[in-house]
Amino acid sequence: MSVSAPAAGVDTPPQPRNVPALLAKLLAEDFTGAVAVSGTPGGTIHLRRGLVVAVDTPNAPTVETLLLRSGRIDEESWAGAISHQAAVATPDSGDQSGLNSVLTELGLIGHGELEAICVAAVYDAAFAMALSPAEGWTVHKDAVPPELVSSPGESPRKLADETSRRIAALSRSWASLAELAAARCRPATRIDPGLLTARQQAVLLAANGRRTPRDIAFFLGCGVFPAMLDVTRLRARGLVQGEAPRPKVPPSTAPRAAPAERKPDDANASAAAALPRRPIRDRTTDGRDGS
Amino acid sequence: MRSLEMSLSAAFESPGVIGAALVDAVTGLAYRASGDFSAVGEGFEIAELTTLITEGMHEAGAQGELESVVVTSTWTHEVILPVPGRAPLNTAVLAVALDRENSNLALAVREAAELAGSILA
């Protein structure tokens, strides 16, 4: 079952004016399901009893990406965990913790560490979604949650406050967050690696002139907000420079049709008509005639 | 299998502890907090402080890693310890607030370090 944001002018009860207000309303209703937010790129917010357990958006790494790309769990062990989960899962088991339990039972990661990563992923994805305005939303009551979720979930109010704080923190050092998110970063100068922390070294190595902070986050297996924070701090020290994104206009190209085949438009036709024309010579009275 | 909140509650077994939190060392997000944490401050302030010290140490050419930060005010101690065992780029810190009158700082630092070593297990 799904419910969309109503069109303007329809006589309905007052609707939430933005996503945080919607989440506050769903918390009061003890709602379990998902909110699909449309936008560029948008995403899906998963709720259990009104608390946010996961946020999916193409703009931020998932828990799986964080675990694999950071090297915390290797690909082979991950595949083994997925196989193990498929083997033990039964439709009637009613197990809500799913892959979280499998990963900890197999000893691939501690329960506390996985909980922290799932919580971090919720806040990071909410921040990444907030970088572009939401265009609308649809509420799905029977949506299936992702495999890895935060438990018991995050308060919508705390999520909104933390997202606002993150946007304000970055806005102090970079005027346009959209520009920062799209800036292609590269090292600005050479520096002795011994003067940098391990994290700074990793970010500098990842900043190859083609990657944006989002790309760096996916490459290193860390959050988008921490990657943007790293870039702003390194830029403040003069160690990184960001190239502004190129404007999205089509490149100018030469006309493909030959000039002779083109039909002149009206303006060109009238201009051509106004030009002086050479009088046509009557060859029958030409004085050069040899007769 | 213990949740972070249950693990944090173990900090209160040490005398004088009035608040504890596990904080992301980069973003300042408080993953979980317990007790009266207003004495310690916001998570992002803790992260900014530890980042400032860590980066400053490296910039000055210091070797090794930060082991602890202790801030003492008139009424409280604040103990901040890096939490080992996570992926190298995703670091966390444990922050514990202590009532000065009822705590032994040396003992509190030692017990907080033990908790920091086990909280993510």
Side-chain angles (χ1 to χ4, degrees):
Chain A
M1 194 180 81
S2 64
V3 181
S4 300
V10 178
D11 189 17
T12 56
Q15 292 296 316
R17 56 193 171 83
N18 53 28
V19 175
L22 172 69
L23 295 180
K25 175 175 170 280
L26 294 175
L27 174 64
E29 294 171 3
D30 214 24
F31 175 82
T32 296
V35 178
V37 180
S38 57
T40 312
T44 305
I45 302 167
H46 297 271
L47 302 155
R48 185 185 295 160
R49 305 204 65 182
L51 297 176
V52 180
V53 293
V55 180
D56 282 338
T57 173
N59 260 7
T62 60
V63 176
E64 178 184 344
T65 306
L66 293 173
L67 291 170
L68 294 177
R69 292 298 307 172
S70 67
R72 185 61 190 81
I73 296 179
D74 62 79
E75 298 269 359
E76 194 178 335
S77 302
W78 179 264
I82 298 293
S83 304
H84 182 79
Q85 188 200 17
V88 299
T90 59
D92 302 325
S93 64
D95 182 13
Q96 295 295 309
S97 47
L99 193 54
N100 292 54
S101 299
V102 171
L103 292 173
T104 52
E105 282 167 12
L106 292 177
L108 296 176
I109 191 168
H111 180 76
E113 184 174 357
L114 183 57
E115 185 183 341
I117 291 173
C118 289
V119 171
V122 166
Y123 284 90
D124 193 57
F127 164 78
M129 276 177 67
L131 290 177
S132 52
E135 293 167 4
W137 60 76
T138 311
V139 178
H140 301 277
K141 195 162 189 179
D142 305 316
V144 179
E147 293 283 3
L148 291 165
V149 295
S150 166
S151 181
E154 305 308 306
S155 145
R157 175 68 186 272
K158 190 181 168 198
L159 189 62
D161 289 348
E162 175 67 15
T163 302
S164 302
R165 183 192 71 77
R166 291 180 174 201
I167 289 171
L170 285 176
S171 300
R172 282 197 293 271
S173 48
W174 206 300
S176 163
L177 288 197
E179 196 178 290
L180 168 59
R184 301 194 182 280
C185 308
R186 61 186 170 88
T189 182
R190 286 185 176 276
I191 186 168
D192 176 6
L195 301 178
L196 300 170
T197 64
R199 186 177 176 88
Q200 288 174 322
Q201 289 178 33
V203 171
L204 270 179
L205 283 172
N208 60 359
R210 295 189 301 276
R211 293 193 180 108
T212 64
R214 174 190 171 277
D215 299 332
I216 292 172
F218 274 84
F219 179 72
L220 295 177
C222 67
V224 173
F225 173 66
M228 290 170 82
L229 209 52
D230 286 326
V231 167
T232 56
R233 285 174 178 163
L234 287 168
R235 192 180 81 144
R237 281 182 63 181
L239 299 177
V240 154
Q241 58 189 37
E243 186 185 325
R246 295 189 184 95
K248 290 180 180 175
V249 292
S252 61
T253 54
R256 288 171 184 269
E261 295 171 11
R262 284 188 299 164
K263 292 182 178 178
D265 57 26
D266 292 346
N268 286 344
S270 58
L275 290 172
R277 290 188 175 275
R278 182 178 293 169
I280 300 169
R281 291 173 118 182
D282 184 359
R283 288 187 176 272
T284 55
T285 58
D286 195 329
R288 287 181 293 178
D289 193 340
S291 61
Chain B
M1 196 168 75
R2 297 174 65 176
S3 68
L4 287 177
E5 210 151 333
M6 286 167 66
S7 298
L8 274 179
S9 64
F12 293 86
E13 292 167 11
S14 184
V17 172
I18 54 175
L22 183 70
V23 176
D24 187 299
V26 180
T27 64
L29 172 68
Y31 293 121
R32 296 288 180 248
S34 194
D36 175 16
F37 206 66
S38 59
V40 175
E42 298 286 344
F44 68 89
E45 292 172 335
I46 294 168
E48 281 179 8
L49 176 67
T50 51
T51 300
L52 189 69
I53 295 170
T54 309
E55 292 185 1
M57 280 170 55
H58 279 86
E59 211 173 333
Q63 301 292 316
E65 298 298 326
L66 180 70
E67 288 193 4
S68 67
V69 179
V70 178
V71 180
T72 301
S73 64
T74 308
W75 307 111
T76 59
H77 293 299
E78 179 180 351
V79 179
I80 303 169
L81 299 159
V83 175
R86 299 186 69 197
L89 298 186
N90 297 322
T91 49
V93 293
L94 174 68
V96 178
L98 303 154
D99 177 7
R100 275 188 74 173
E101 280 205 352
N102 300 310
S103 61
N104 176 324
L105 182 58
L107 180 66
V109 170
R110 184 177 160 181
E111 291 184 347
E114 282 175 14
L115 178 59
S118 65
I119 194 167
L120 293 183

